[in-house]
Amino acid sequence: MDLGIKGRRALVCASSKGLGRACAAALAAEGVHVTMTARGAEALAQAAAALRLAYPDVEILEVAGDITTPEGREAALKACPEPDILVNNAGGPPPGDFRNWSRADWIKALDANMLTPIELIKATVDTMIARKFGRIVNITSAAVKAPIDVLGLSNGARTGLTGFVAGLSRKTVRHNVTINALLPGPFDTDRLRGVSAGQAKASGVPVEQILQTRMNENPAGRFGDPEEFGLACAFLCGARSGYITGQNILLDGGAFPGTL
Ligand code: NAP
């Protein structure tokens, strides 16, 4: 299926690994020129090189920096000042007990997972509106629909972003600018494996057993493949997806037990 976005420009934040990288790859496969960001320059350079090799006809730019800082966002926007497609992503806040979280912890989480995407939307949405094409995808979490108690910082920050976007996305769609969120359940990424390794260390249970138990608990009997996530992102960015906006789409193998 040709998504009709060949030659468009995308800024895909936090994309040297995992879900962001899969979104960058799926967009490049559609002929989209992609600007990738991450803090670690080496892994970012490797990821960008792999995409250049796989998709020699598209331009792949890389910008090393922390997207949750004003400097990081400025550098990303300098490389890709007027994206047609914006994929907002960053690392998630740490788990913990809310009794131990200070105001600074909350501000950090809000900065990373709520205010950074809002700042990037603010910087790009009006040029999208002027050009009558824009696709914004926020990578949030299944925890927006089914909060996980130890991830209170994430639940709070991401739900704040979701509420903000719910309003704005109904204003922009008239101009063929859509804003949606993809809500990952468990996907097989470094993050998932890192969290599981931490649980293994704390509990003494072998990491393979922890991973197998988590897979068994999911209705699909497995983790999501990041490639599946990237393809869903590319679909939302497609030329013919202009009637989908303000949606929060779960990709969780059916783990959320509700009807709606
Ligand atoms: P991942 O495999 O650890 O990859 C994270 C990517 O983001 C890396 O490229 C990382 O590179 C980059 N990154 C992190 N913080 C950044 C920052 N401040 N500025 C720029 N780049 C940054 O993680 P993932 O599994 O793809 O997760 C992506 C998002 O989805 C996270 O917010 C996570 O909480 C959420 N999520 C994931 C799952 C899952 O099962 N995988 C489930 C629910 C929600 P550097 O470290 O070099 O910056």
Side-chain angles (χ1 to χ4, degrees):
M1 184 175 171
D2 177 0
L3 297 177
I5 48 178
K6 189 174 177 193
R8 295 281 183 190
R9 298 207 161 266
L11 172 57
V12 185
C13 304
S15 53
S16 67
K17 295 179 188 166
L19 305 179
R21 179 176 177 163
C23 294
L27 290 168
E30 286 296 320
V32 174
H33 306 299
V34 179
T35 299
M36 305 169 74
T37 88
R39 292 164 303 181
E42 200 177 319
L44 179 63
Q46 281 172 12
L51 285 196
R52 282 185 201 111
L53 198 63
Y55 308 106
D57 295 339
V58 301
E59 190 181 22
I60 305 290
L61 300 177
E62 67 202 66
V63 182
D66 184 339
I67 201 70
T68 68
T69 64
E71 301 76 33
R73 290 191 289 277
E74 199 182 319
L77 289 167
K78 198 172 169 202
C80 187
E82 295 192 356
D84 303 296
I85 294 166
L86 168 66
V87 180
N88 279 314
N89 186 30
D97 182 331
F98 85 96
R99 290 168 189 83
N100 301 326
W101 293 331
S102 64
R103 178 177 166 76
D105 294 324
W106 274 107
I107 297 296
K108 195 170 175 205
L110 292 171
D111 258 342
N113 298 106
M114 178 181 172
L115 300 177
T116 288
I118 291 173
E119 285 291 337
L120 288 169
I121 292 170
K122 185 176 158 189
T124 57
V125 76
D126 287 330
T127 57
M128 291 180 183
I129 288 172
R131 291 196 307 277
K132 295 274 177 215
F133 181 89
R135 300 285 182 263
I136 299 173
V137 177
N138 297 320
I139 300 179
T140 62
S141 172
V144 168
K145 277 200 84 149
I148 301 165
D149 61 350
V150 294
L151 292 178
L153 289 169
S154 171
N155 299 337
R158 296 187 199 275
T159 305
L161 173 66
T162 305
F164 166 74
V165 162
L168 182 64
S169 58
R170 271 85 186 181
K171 291 285 183 196
T172 61
V173 65
R174 185 171 292 265
H175 308 284
N176 192 25
V177 177
T178 66
I179 316 178
N180 293 289
L182 289 175
L183 283 55
F187 273 81
D188 194 354
T189 65
D190 281 8
R191 176 177 165 91
L192 180 143
R193 288 188 176 265
V195 169
S196 300
Q199 287 168 343
K201 205 171 166 193
S203 64
V205 178
V207 68
E208 286 311 324
Q209 193 177 324
I210 286 181
L211 291 168
Q212 193 57 54
T213 304
R214 281 198 73 182
M215 284 193 270
N216 291 345
E217 282 167 3
N218 188 283
R222 64 176 178 89
F223 295 133
D225 179 342
E227 192 183 353
E228 297 172 295
F229 192 92
L231 291 171
C233 176
F235 176 78
L236 284 179
C237 296
R240 302 301 303 275
S241 297
Y243 210 54
I244 307 173
T245 200
Q247 300 306 300
N248 292 287
I249 300 168
L250 271 174
L251 283 82
D252 69 346
F256 181 71
T259 307
L260 297 173

